Amino acid sequence: MANIPSAAADRLLRNAGAERVSTRAATLFAEILEDMADEVAKSAVTFAEHAGRNTVKAKDIRLAKDM
């Protein structure tokens, strides 16, 4: 089960223009978002480590997102 609540995923889909969202679609979207977030987080940690820091900063996340 995803750490991102399916209600939040449902809300994101509705904000994107969906009139209706199935429960399974919201759950799957939450799982995919979490997978994507994990990849960005891992890359951000790598950028911070490369810079010789233990602290992940916003610029690390921006760099990781743009990869």
Side-chain angles (χ1 to χ4, degrees), residues 45-55:
V45 168
T46 300
F47 282 121
E49 289 172 346
H50 180 74
R53 291 185 271 105
N54 292 323
T55 302

Side-chain angles (χ1 to χ4, degrees), residues 28-57:
L28 181 58
F29 189 55
E31 291 170 4
I32 290 169
L33 287 174
E34 187 165 342
D35 289 343
M36 294 172 74
D38 283 344
E39 291 301 315
V40 170
K42 288 175 186 174
S43 293
V45 168
T46 300
F47 282 121
E49 289 172 346
H50 180 74
R53 291 185 271 105
N54 292 323
T55 302
V56 175
K57 296 187 174 190

Side-chain angles (χ1 to χ4, degrees), residues 21-29 31:
V21 179
S22 73
T23 302
R24 179 67 187 129
T27 301
L28 181 58
F29 189 55
E31 291 170 4

Side-chain angles (χ1 to χ4, degrees), residues 8-25:
D10 181 280
R11 191 169 44 254
L12 287 167
L13 288 164
R14 289 177 190 273
N15 288 343
E19 288 186 33
R20 297 174 62 191
V21 179
S22 73
T23 302
R24 179 67 187 129

Side-chain angles (χ1 to χ4, degrees), residues 39-40 43-44 47 58-67:
E39 291 301 315
V40 170
S43 293
F47 282 121
K59 63 184 174 182
D60 300 320
I61 295 171
R62 281 191 206 99
L63 285 169
K65 177 199 74 90
D66 292 339
M67 286 183 54

